[in-house]
Structure formats: structure tokens, C-alpha cells
Amino acid sequence: MKKILHVIKENTKFKYRRYRFDEWLKKHTDYEILTKTYNIEDCKLKKIESSDILTNITLSDFQYIIFSSPDIFNLVGRNIPSSCIVFYNKEDFWNGYDKYLSKDVDYPLVTRADKIVCSSKFIYDRLPKDKTLLVENGADISYFPVAKTKTGRKKVIYISTSSVKKIDGNILRRDAIENPDMDFYIYVNFYNRRGIKLNRYITEFSFPNNVYFPEIVSYNEILEKVSECDIGYLPMANTDWAAGMFTLKFWDYMKCNIPTYYYNSDNYYNYDDKFAFNAKKYKLKDMLSVKLDRDETKALCYKNQWEFKFQEIADYYGFKWHE
């Protein structure tokens, strides 16, 4: 039986693409799979060298090794035998804010990898085309909120499981001032304790009183909140890190049948002018006249569900899989 070593960089409790793919492989293939996860911050706190994570593992025992980020590869890459096939699942924000796509960090794994799969057009345009496949993030179809009757003031919503630094506070402030008849609900770090960084962010931009930063705890609960709103909002910062994301929020907005209004990205070109609307072309208030068809957005989610995305990745890697 062929063996796969799957080395996963761990960030939060949220089920990122790499975890979902690992679970899918174990369910739908007959390969022997060893999963090794690591958290860079834990390694620093416990003074654990990243190379120690693969201690007692004989790399030559594996026919395939999948990396989700270059950290470990840059330490052990020279020890991987040439007979081993290396895959790079390049997600959108593995390396923080400043080193994103930095050649000195990323280049060795990009060079060694036999095949690469990435999650956005922005990243794809910066990788060797002869061995890279673009597979956008998929939709979680396990739960669709019930349609809500919407009354009162119009509501704009942004959701994120991670840092508030993804969004541009100046954009948010400007849109809120220009649209005083709308309420803006910004949910960030809803899997984590609200920290001092968020409070500083709120103070820094002096947002008007139609901007709210509520707390939320569960994924299904956040979807219920989205379904009560009128516009899915992506006021992304103008950074490579933000530009590299095909965000899962797009699918959450589709599951709730509300249009996505976004800044500083070219990753939604397949959905532009029908489901997603670029701030370069539209005003936020234009979204109030957009009426999506619930059956159509639900069908779009089913067409782009994770199951089909992982089948596509497995086929590209040459893995045999079953239902």
C-alpha cells in the first residue's frame, strides 16, 4: 500500500481547506496516510524546532509528501529522496502579512514540488503554469439558513475567523459615512477571544455609529446573522496577502442569497456582475437593487462544494479515490 505524509500548518480551530482535504483523503482513498500538524507559535513558545516535528519519521518510507506551507520543507527538503513525489497545497495566507509569496521562503518548495494546487487567481498568476492547478475554495453545503423576512434599516455584513487586518478600515469608515441609512456589522475573530488589537483598531479609525463589532461563537450562528442582512461585504485591504484570497465568505454569502460587494481582488471573475460586484464598477448602494434567486445561488454552492474540489485535486495528483 502506498503511503502519504501530509504536513499541515495549523492556525486556528477553523476547518481550513487543508484539514478538509486531509479528512477527504482518509475517507475516499485507500492510501496509508500519516498526518503531522504543527503550530508555529506553539513551536516558538515551547522552544521546539520545526524540524523536530518530523523526528522519527523516515521520509523515504513515503511515496508522496504533501506540504501546506514551506516552513517544514525548508528544514527537511534536502532529506527528501528524489524518488518521492512532492505536492504543494498552496493556500492563501500561510505566511502572514509581509512575506507573502516571498521568494526566499517559498521558492525552494515551489521549485521542488512536482505539482502545485493553489486557491486563487492572484496566486496562480505568480506560479509556474506547467505544474500548477487553480482550484478555488469550495462551499460547505452541510447547512443552509432559512430565508428571513427583512425589515427596517438595510444591513451590511462582513465575517472573518481571523485578523481584522485583512480589511481596510478607511474603506469601511468611508462606506459607513457615505451610507448613513445602512448598518454595518463586522464580525471578526468569532472563534477567538476579542483582543486588545481589535479595540485599538476600532479606536484608530473612529468609525461612525452605524458600524458595529458584535461577538459571535458558532459557524451556524454566524450564518443566521448573514441571512438577516442585505449585502455581503468584503472591504479587503490593498495587500498581496488579502489579494491572494478566494475567501470562504463568498460562499457563506451565497448560501444566504445575498450579493457580494468586494474591494481589491480579481479572484471572483467567474461570478462578477451576477453574484459578486467589484467596487471599481459599482457603488455599495447599487447592491440594494440586486435580487438573487435562492434556487440559483443554492445550485451554485452545490456545484462548487468541497467534495468536487477535492476530487479535482486528487485527480490532478494522480490519486485513486472512491465514493
Side-chain angles (χ1 to χ4, degrees):
M1 179 183 295
K2 292 186 176 181
K3 300 172 68 175
I4 299 173
L5 173 62
H6 197 182
V7 184
I8 298 178
K9 181 174 183 177
E10 185 178 6
N11 281 14
T12 72
K13 296 177 182 178
F14 188 70
K15 290 183 68 175
Y16 287 120
R17 169 179 175 139
R18 48 193 174 270
Y19 294 104
R20 294 176 182 271
F21 185 53
D22 189 69
E23 292 173 354
W24 186 91
L25 284 173
K26 291 173 180 175
K27 181 179 179 181
H28 295 283
T29 72
D30 295 322
Y31 299 102
E32 182 180 339
I33 301 171
L34 175 63
T35 306
K36 297 295 290 184
T37 62
Y38 66 97
N39 184 300
I40 291 298
E41 294 305 317
D42 285 348
C43 289
K44 291 177 180 177
L45 289 173
K46 298 175 183 177
K47 297 182 179 180
I48 299 172
E49 292 294 332
S50 297
S51 55
D52 292 339
I53 297 166
L54 300 185
T55 299
N56 300 323
I57 294 177
T58 304
L59 297 177
S60 59
D61 288 345
F62 297 89
Q63 286 74 42
Y64 308 102
I65 303 180
I66 305 173
F67 292 93
S68 68
S69 77
D71 310 77
I72 300 298
F73 176 84
N74 289 344
L75 294 170
V76 305
R78 63 175 63 89
N79 299 323
I80 298 175
S82 58
S83 59
C84 183
I85 298 175
V86 174
F87 298 131
Y88 185 9
N89 278 348
K90 185 166 182 57
E91 293 189 41
D92 38 22
F93 52 107
W94 54 260
N95 207 26
Y97 308 100
D98 300 320
K99 295 182 180 179
Y100 186 74
L101 290 175
S102 173
K103 285 190 176 182
D104 59 332
V105 175
D106 206 37
Y107 183 77
L109 179 51
V110 169
T111 302
R112 173 61 178 86
D114 294 276
K115 291 184 178 180
I116 303 170
V117 171
C118 66
S119 58
S120 73
K121 180 180 182 295
F122 181 90
I123 299 176
Y124 179 78
D125 289 342
R126 289 155 177 78
L127 291 171
K129 304 297 183 295
D130 59 334
K131 61 177 181 179
T132 302
L133 177 69
L134 168 57
V135 179
E136 295 167 348
N137 285 329
D140 182 343
I141 60 170
S142 62
Y143 178 74
F144 286 81
V146 176
K148 303 291 194 304
T149 300
K150 300 171 184 178
T151 59
R153 289 169 59 86
K154 299 301 181 182
K155 297 179 180 179
V156 181
I157 191 166
Y158 169 84
I159 57 175
S160 175
T161 59
S162 56
S163 174
V164 73
K165 289 186 178 181
K166 288 181 185 178
I167 65 177
D168 188 321
N170 288 312
I171 290 175
L172 171 58
R173 185 175 185 276
R174 184 191 67 219
D175 280 345
I177 291 173
E178 291 180 355
N179 298 277
D181 55 336
M182 298 183 188
D183 289 332
F184 293 73
Y185 293 88
I186 311 299
Y187 291 90
V188 292
N189 292 323
F190 60 81
Y191 273 95
N192 304 305
R193 181 170 54 84
R194 283 163 64 96
I196 192 170
K197 289 183 179 179
L198 177 56
N199 294 329
R200 286 175 177 170
Y201 178 85
I202 295 171
T203 302
E204 176 185 353
F205 289 99
S206 300
F207 295 112
N209 58 12
N210 59 333
V211 178
Y212 304 93
F213 290 84
E215 293 191 59
I216 204 76
V217 292
S218 73
Y219 178 67
N220 286 355
E221 187 178 354
I222 196 70
L223 285 181
E224 293 296 336
K225 296 298 182 182
V226 173
S227 68
E228 296 172 358
C229 294
D230 303 278
I231 302 170
Y233 191 47
L234 296 177
M236 311 310 289
N238 188 17
T239 65
D240 285 354
W241 183 54
M245 301 175 199
F246 183 98
T247 177
L248 298 175
K249 290 175 272 296
F250 171 75
W251 293 118
D252 292 332
Y253 299 156
M254 292 300 99
K255 288 165 68 173
C256 297
N257 200 49
I258 63 174
T260 298
Y261 184 75
Y262 68 92
Y263 287 84
N264 296 317
S265 177
D266 295 318
N267 295 326
Y268 308 101
Y269 61 97
N270 284 326
Y271 312 99
D272 271 346
D273 304 322
K274 186 172 184 179
F275 303 106
F277 299 85
N278 195 326
K280 292 178 180 178
K281 296 174 60 177
Y282 299 90
K283 297 290 186 181
L284 183 61
K285 63 183 180 182
D286 295 336
M287 298 301 99
L288 298 178
S289 62
V290 175
K291 305 300 179 185
L292 300 184
D293 180 272
R294 183 166 294 274
D295 290 336
E296 193 171 9
T297 51
K298 189 172 184 177
L300 185 69
C301 291
Y302 271 89
K303 180 180 178 181
N304 289 276
Q305 64 182 280
W306 281 118
E307 175 70 21
F308 298 151
K309 301 291 184 179
F310 295 148
Q311 290 176 7
E312 186 177 1
I313 294 173
D315 286 342
Y316 184 64
Y317 285 165
F319 294 156
K320 294 182 180 180
W321 54 272
H322 51 73
E323 297 292 341

